[in-house]
């Protein structure tokens, strides 16, 4: 009943393909997800990347497999039989079981239970194993679909994918919270964003995107901050203002959701993830007007503050849902004093900017805006902050050779997925999170 | 003749769309690629992301635009006219020129000349500008197409994309040539590859890939080494041996070339890049047999050496072209002593491994193979190298909970593109190369 598999054995069939194989002999391969021993019969539930199937063992074969532990890797050969009582309506009978690889230690918790009976640290300490739980695995399938949809949408809009340096020579872009690297004896830094690179590449490709890691030495241990996350960045030239950027972002989000519907439907169902509609035009509200609303309808008066508090973002999202029937809301025009030096001011109201945040289900998931495009504007903007141009020479040289009006945005992939699936901690949407206390596995 | 553009101006038409607009008024936007002043007429050649077009100016309008420098960003409105003598067979007449953004300093060399009259350091120091030269830009369009084709091929084979940490807690994977990071006061390292992560994820998704940056503190300043490059990684479970991995790699390379043909044909033509055929079965030769061939046919006798010298790789590629009509060659079975500890030995010949390199046009572009999948084999392999399991606990925990036979590969994107376009230095296939002397722009 147990054998060492030989090379060149019968072609493997995926579990999802079994319904088409009724009454035929097949071999499936996967992990022993669960063994259930009843009085006269033992069920082995096998898991592969496409699903679950049970194999039905009777005596004396069942006893011969008593030592098999869950998570062992098996090849099970048997006859496919329809059985309406079996999970998925199908089962394997007269199975022949070969052990490809044993499991010598139980998982930290039973991976076959529908819910996850473990704390976050246990889940993360053992992620190579706990991610095998269908509920913990699902967000990452949704992440992969989201990124594929993002790229497809931007490819369709004439964007070019770029790969930019993650080690940079100066920490100038935002100063705080950078990781230092020993670069052949020189001090260097991990890039907090591809901002400068994607802008420079507007001069080359007009429209670019990157989907890669960014690094923040974030000292606060919150449910939504990571030391490394995947940033979905885009930048485009020849815009009128930030609204052209917002339109492209709308297309990108729509493409992401289409891909999730197409490629991760089962995972969404498993997690009960409700996918939002993207309105043909996402409602928008100017920062100043948002503050007026908040002052009129909430206990606090935020006017004079340069940014929105988390509670304000939540309130505005509820307002957008109520007033506009949208789970997405653009807040535009954030005050210049809270935005980076390359931000383009609002024409006629220079204390405000041509920038935006996209709020989704109570949280900011994207930041973007129009950038300065004239060299002299950069010189002035840096001077106003008491900075010289020297540290920025590599970047600013592009602006002395003609740069079109441009803008862009950045979305945190893990935050997006966490919102989509309703994960209370962004770490549950990150394969191997890095934070102030966690550097492994 | 010159005006400040107003928002809401006529819709921009891309230069590639002009042939369909004959005799109609249009607006195009782009960079002043070149100005050619003849006796009675001035040509402005405009460049956008889709190509070049000339606008024909006559007096007195030409004189009014004399101050315009190349690389200025313009909107040119005019009538599209077919003219067989014009480049591309089309030109804009009666043009109206608006300056979106001026150029205040000439590029380091004339970007309109067909060849690049500059040294590599000049090209790289000014890459935000020099990459606008069509010949210097083209490799990156080919790179983007290659990565898209890679992902499409693997998506089609049931792979899941993953995003893994680039900051790791130990330098154990290969020891030398790692960059150190100050991680909240602890010493950490930049990942040299996603090797451990992709293997662990075989336990979750069976088939995974990643397209992201990897870091090597490479102290040698050669034409083919970088401190950061883009690694196209894949790993798959339920294999018989390394040949199953080689088959997937063949599909991936074929998909990359299809995408390059489809999405970067013009760039290939511009660079005279000849795209190779991928044979239905890429020829392969065992390392031992390759050494016999080299001993018999070249001046040196390499037998006893644990690896192939660059000259040997070149000779073997010539041999494969001659004997098998293939520009690709798999060399399999590299000696275990030169391969990392997770390498699976060749059954029956334990001094050799179930590994491979893919050679292309004289150079190794991919390394891969079958990995160990049993926990006890890892313990033994590490003991043999005098190492304990402690530093590997985060990784090895996966192998105590059932891991299928698996293997994978890694391809350097920049090296692939350099080979494809015949670039003598890999830096010409890298947007902003990082090396022992270069950290900016």
């Amino acid at each position: 009943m147990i054998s060492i598999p030989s090379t060149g054995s019968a072609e493997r069939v995926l579990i999802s393909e079994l319904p088409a194989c009724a009454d035929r002999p097949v071999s499936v391969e996967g992990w022993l997800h669960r063994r259930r021993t009843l009085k006269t019969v033992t069920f082995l539930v096998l898991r592969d990347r496409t699903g679950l199937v049970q194999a039905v063992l009777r005596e004396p074969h069942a006893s011969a497999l008593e030592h098999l532990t869950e998570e062992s890797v098996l090849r099970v050969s048997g006859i496919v039989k329809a059985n309406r009582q079996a999970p998925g309506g199908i089962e394997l009978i007269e199975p022949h079981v070969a052990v490809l690889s044993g499991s010598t230690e139980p998982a930290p918790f039973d991976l076959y239970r529908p819910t996850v009976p473990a704390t976050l640290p246990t889940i993360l300490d053992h992620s190579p194993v706990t991610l095998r739980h269908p509920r913990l695995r699902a967000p990452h399938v949704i992440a992969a679909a989201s990124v594929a949809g993002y790229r497809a949408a931007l490819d369709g809009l004439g964007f070019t994918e770029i790969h930019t340096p993650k080690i940079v020579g100066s920490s100038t872009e935002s100063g705080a919270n950078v990781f230092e690297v020993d670069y052949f004896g020189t001090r260097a830094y991990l890039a907090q964003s591809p901002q400068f690179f994607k802008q420079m590449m507007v001069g080359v490709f007009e429209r670019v995107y990157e989907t890669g890691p960014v690094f923040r030495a974030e000292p606060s241990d919150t449910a939504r901050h990571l030391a490394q996350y995947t940033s979905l960045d885009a930048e485009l030239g020849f815009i009128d203002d930030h609204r052209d950027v917002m339109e492209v972002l709308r297309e990108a989000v729509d493409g992401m959701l289409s891909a999730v519907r197409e490629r991760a439907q089962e995972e969404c169902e498993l997690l009960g993830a409700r996918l939002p509609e993207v309105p043909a035009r996402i409602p928008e509200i100017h920062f100043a007007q948002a503050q007026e609303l908040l002052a009129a309808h909430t206990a606090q008066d935020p006017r004079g503050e340069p940014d929105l508090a988390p509670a304000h973002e939540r309130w505005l999202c509820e307002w957008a849902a109520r007033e506009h029937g949208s789970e997405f809301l653009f807040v535009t025009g954030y005050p210049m004093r809270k935005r980076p030096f390359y931000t383009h001011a609002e024409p006629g109201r220079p204390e405000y900017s041509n920038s935006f945040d996209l709020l989704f289900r109570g949280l900011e998931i994207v930041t973007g805006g129009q950038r300065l495009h004239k060299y002299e504007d950069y010189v002035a903007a840096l001077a106003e902050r008491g900075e010289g141009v020297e540290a920025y020479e590599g970047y600013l040289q592009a602006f002395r050779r003609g740069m079109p009006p441009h803008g862009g945005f950045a979305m945190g992939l893990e935050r997006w997925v966490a919102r989509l699936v309703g994960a209370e901690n962004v770490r549950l949407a990150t394969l191997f999170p890095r934070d102030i206390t966690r550097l492994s596995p």
Side-chain angles (χ1 to χ4, degrees), chain A:
Chain A
M1 200 67 194
I2 301 182
S3 69
I4 301 303
S6 61
T7 338
S9 52
E11 196 73 10
R12 176 190 188 197
V13 171
L14 293 172
I15 289 172
S16 63
E17 299 167 337
L18 291 180
C21 304
D23 302 316
R24 289 194 351 230
V26 298
S27 289
V28 295
E29 296 179 352
W31 288 262
L32 179 57
H33 191 58
R34 183 176 190 188
R35 185 230 311 270
R36 283 174 61 214
T37 305
L38 306 184
K39 206 179 280 179
T40 60
V41 66
T42 291
F43 295 106
L44 299 183
V45 180
L46 201 75
R47 181 186 78 237
D48 74 7
R49 69 177 189 266
T50 67
L52 303 172
V53 69
Q54 73 181 23
V56 188
L57 283 169
R58 298 186 186 277
E59 290 304 344
H61 308 304
S63 301
L65 288 172
E66 253 175 14
H67 65 284
L68 268 190
T69 48
E70 273 139 12
E71 292 310 297
S72 294
V73 180
L74 308 179
R75 174 181 299 132
V76 180
S77 306
I79 312 288
V80 181
K81 278 289 169 198
N83 175 357
R84 278 160 56 188
Q85 287 173 321
I90 215 120
E91 62 189 12
L92 289 176
I93 62 164
E94 299 168 35
H96 183 277
V97 177
V99 180
L100 299 177
S101 180
S103 171
T104 60
E105 189 181 326
F109 54 84
D110 292 333
L111 298 178
Y112 60 79
R113 298 203 185 276
T115 55
V116 176
T119 63
L120 187 62
T122 299
I123 291 170
L124 298 180
D125 287 345
H126 301 280
S127 55
V129 182
T130 57
L131 284 167
R132 298 181 188 179
H133 190 290
R135 287 189 71 89
L136 296 176
R137 175 186 186 273
H140 309 288
V141 177
I142 294 170
S146 297
V147 182
Y150 178 82
R151 294 192 192 109
L154 294 185
D155 283 346
L157 294 171
F159 281 71
T160 299
E161 183 178 10
I162 56 173
H163 305 274
T164 67
K166 304 307 161 201
I167 309 177
V168 293
S170 68
S171 64
T172 42
E173 194 197 331
S174 67
N177 297 352
V178 291
F179 288 112
E180 269 184 39
V181 182
D182 174 1
Y183 192 76
F184 300 111
T186 313
R187 188 184 297 179
Y189 306 90
L190 290 184
Q192 294 184 303
S193 87
Q195 180 64 32
F196 290 180
F197 297 111
K198 66 179 182 169
Q199 284 187 262
M200 292 187 269
M201 285 306 96
V202 165
V204 176
F205 297 112
E206 295 185 20
R207 305 183 145 210
V208 294
Y209 68 84
E210 181 161 15
T211 58
V214 298
F215 306 91
R216 307 275 165 112
E218 180 62 61
S220 46
D221 193 11
T222 80
R224 62 180 205 281
H225 286 105
L226 296 164
Q228 175 189 323
Y229 66 88
T230 303
S231 184
L232 308 186
D233 269 275
E235 196 81 12
L236 57 144
F238 298 101
I239 61 172
D240 283 335
D241 60 22
H242 55 300
R243 279 199 180 72
D244 289 337
V245 181
M246 288 154 63
E247 248 174 68
V248 166
L249 172 56
R250 199 213 79 92
E251 294 289 317
V253 171
D254 199 39
M256 292 168 79
L257 285 165
S258 299
V260 170
R261 271 185 206 100
E262 197 180 305
R263 299 164 71 143
Q265 202 193 341
E266 251 178 78
E267 286 76 12
C268 288
E269 281 168 18
L270 176 70
L271 298 176
R274 195 177 41 74
L275 298 183
E277 291 298 317
V278 186
R281 200 161 175 287
I282 294 176
E284 66 178 83
I285 185 169
H286 192 280
F287 183 85
Q289 195 192 340
Q291 286 198 323
E292 294 297 332
L293 265 185
L294 289 162
H297 296 284
T298 70
Q300 291 166 297
D301 185 347
R303 286 172 295 189
E305 296 292 327
D307 205 351
L308 296 174
H312 294 153
E313 293 183 348
R314 285 194 294 274
W315 190 91
L316 287 169
C317 281
E318 284 160 24
W319 171 83
R322 209 164 52 232
E323 294 291 315
H324 299 285
S326 170
E327 295 196 87
F328 295 96
L329 174 67
F330 276 123
V331 179
T332 62
Y334 285 80
M336 281 295 280
R337 61 189 160 117
K338 275 292 279 187
R339 293 271 159 164
F341 70 87
Y342 47 77
T343 305
H344 197 292
E346 183 175 324
R349 282 208 289 183
E351 69 276 27
Y352 294 109
S353 66
N354 271 359
S355 71
F356 61 84
D357 276 7
L358 179 63
L359 310 188
F360 172 50
R361 295 185 178 166
L363 192 71
E364 169 256 309
I365 56 161
V366 185
T367 292
Q370 182 179 2
R371 332 296 188 182
L372 300 177
H373 61 279
K374 294 183 177 169
Y375 181 71
E376 58 271 25
D377 291 342
Y378 276 93
V379 176
L382 286 166
E384 198 168 304
R385 297 184 190 225
E387 289 200 66
V389 295
E390 299 71 24
Y392 301 90
E393 172 51 25
Y395 164 61
L396 292 181
Q397 61 175 307
F399 298 92
R400 291 199 301 273
R401 277 71 168 229
M403 280 288 282
H406 66 282
F409 60 82
M411 180 188 316
L413 173 64
E414 296 81 357
R415 241 186 221 203
W416 157 258
V417 173
R419 283 285 100 176
L420 221 49
V421 305
E424 74 271 30
N425 194 307
V426 72
R427 287 164 185 75
L428 289 169
T430 312
L431 270 188
F432 296 93
R434 292 290 181 257
D435 61 36
I436 190 163
T437 61
R438 184 169 294 277
L439 190 51
S440 92

